[in-house]
């Protein structure tokens, strides 16, 4: 089984190229409430997507599914979820939840009209995870490494992967029927650390079923429309080829890679703290 690939974009031409390349989910991001404050001063993207983008993507997509991230639970949630689903979302993602009650409200508002994804990215959400996982109607869980590392005041986004936090979370999720994933991934030629290849091997070791294609997945193009689209296709092909290789890895190879990823994360943290 290959990973479900998610691409955050409202660019129609890029969406067509992504669908043709086999990207599974096109990701429209409506989340704004509270996001500016908690990610202030960080190298993160705050998407300027809106309801019309959902309708526009719905008109384009034939094989890829349409995923929409809404705002955290509030008095706006019912009308927002109704609007998102009425405009054609196949999957709805709830960010920044803290309690089982938050998730129950979300599931109730969706009402079985779309698949549901909960984005685990708060420390309270992690602490309440066992109760949250008892809520019926959750289809997917994704771990948001960026906000977790912000909340924990750690130096590097991937530290939750090396300090056992991600593995502990996934051990709980494995006892359910919920599919899960975590974080994002760059293209395989990127010089970012840990490498995309080693991170994808961790996805396979941990039984992950989905990953977000990060901004750096498209790096390497000259930013012209044609170049970006060609680069996306090339990078997806390379990723799928690497996945095929990973299916033949032994347990020992995955364990060696786990240790390598931990050492790479430790090295990055040491560089940051210098």
């Amino acid at each position: 089984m290959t990973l479900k690939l998610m691409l955050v974009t409202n660019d129609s031409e890029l969406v067509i190229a992504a669908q043709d390349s086999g990207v599974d989910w096109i990701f429209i991001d409506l989340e704004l409430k509270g996001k500016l404050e908690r990610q202030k001063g960080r190298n993160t993207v705050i998407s300027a997507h809106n309801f019309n983008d959902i309708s526009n993507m719905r008109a384009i997509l034939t094989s890829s599914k349409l995923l929409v991230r809404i705002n955290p639970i509030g008095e706006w949630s019912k009308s927002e979820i109704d609007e998102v689903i009425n405009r054609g979302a196949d999957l709805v993602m709830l960010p920044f939840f803290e309690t089982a009650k938050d998730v129950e409200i979300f599931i109730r508002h969706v009402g079985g009209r779309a698949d549901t994804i909960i984005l685990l990215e708060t420390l309270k959400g992690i602490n309440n995870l066992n109760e949250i996982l008892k809520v019926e109607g959750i289809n997917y869980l994704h771990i948001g490494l960026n906000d977790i590392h912000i909340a924990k005041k750690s130096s590097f986004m991937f530290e939750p992967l090396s300090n056992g936090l991600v593995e502990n979370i996934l051990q709980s999720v494995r006892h359910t029927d919920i599919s899960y994933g975590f974080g994002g991934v760059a293209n395989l030629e990127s010089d970012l650390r840990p490498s995309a290849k080693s991170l994808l091997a961790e996805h396979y070791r941990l039984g992950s079923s989905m990953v977000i294609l990060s901004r750096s997945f498209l790096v390497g193009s000259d930013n012209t429309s044609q170049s970006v689209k060609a680069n996306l296709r090339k990078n997806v092909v390379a990723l799928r080829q690497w996945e095929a290789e990973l299916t033949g890895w032994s347990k020992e190879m995955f364990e060696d890679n786990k240790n390598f990823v931990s050492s790479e994360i430790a090295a990055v943290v040491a560089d940051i703290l210098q």
Side-chain angles (χ1 to χ4, degrees), residues 148-182:
I148 289 174
H149 110 84
I150 292 172
K152 293 183 76 66
K153 297 181 171 59
S154 56
S155 302
F156 183 42
M157 181 174 67
F158 284 106
E159 283 184 82
L161 191 58
S162 62
N163 64 20
L165 179 59
V166 168
E167 191 144 7
N168 288 337
I169 290 170
L170 296 185
Q171 282 178 354
S172 297
V173 186
R174 282 193 198 103
H175 297 298
T176 72
D177 294 327
I178 299 168
S179 298
Y180 55 81
F182 59 88

Side-chain angles (χ1 to χ4, degrees), residues 187 217-219 230-240:
N187 71 69
F217 193 82
L218 299 177
V219 169
N231 212 52
L232 170 64
R233 292 187 182 98
K234 174 175 71 75
N235 292 338
V236 170
V237 168
L239 186 155
R240 294 305 193 194

Side-chain angles (χ1 to χ4, degrees), residues 209-244:
S209 64
M210 55 190 179
V211 67
I212 296 170
L213 302 179
S214 67
R215 281 178 292 161
S216 49
F217 193 82
L218 299 177
V219 169
S221 64
D222 60 13
N223 291 325
T224 63
S225 174
Q226 201 61 35
S227 176
V228 169
K229 290 186 288 186
N231 212 52
L232 170 64
R233 292 187 182 98
K234 174 175 71 75
N235 292 338
V236 170
V237 168
L239 186 155
R240 294 305 193 194
Q241 289 173 341
W242 179 240
E243 284 189 276

Side-chain angles (χ1 to χ4, degrees), residues 83-95:
E83 183 80 10
V84 161
I85 294 173
N86 289 340
R87 285 179 180 263
D90 296 303
L91 309 102
V92 184
M93 175 184 280
L94 175 69

Side-chain angles (χ1 to χ4, degrees), residues 34-53:
K35 198 170 186 178
L36 290 169
E37 292 80 2
R38 70 178 187 266
Q39 296 190 1
K40 185 178 181 181
R42 296 179 179 272
N43 183 28
T44 54
V45 173
I46 308 296
S47 300
H49 297 176
N50 57 51
F51 287 131
N52 287 334
D53 291 319

Side-chain angles (χ1 to χ4, degrees), residues 3-9 18 22-28 65 67 91 93 117 119 140-143 180-185 203 208-215 217 232 239-240:
L3 292 167
K4 293 187 185 302
L5 304 180
M6 298 178 261
L7 182 66
V8 182
T9 185
V23 172
D24 300 277
W25 296 346
I26 301 302
F27 191 145
I28 296 297
K65 290 190 174 182
L67 161 63
L91 309 102
M93 175 184 280
I117 309 178
L119 181 60
Y140 302 92
L141 179 146
H142 196 78
I143 302 174
Y180 55 81
F182 59 88
V185 67
H203 276 268
S208 169
S209 64
M210 55 190 179
V211 67
I212 296 170
L213 302 179
S214 67
R215 281 178 292 161
F217 193 82
L232 170 64
L239 186 155
R240 294 305 193 194

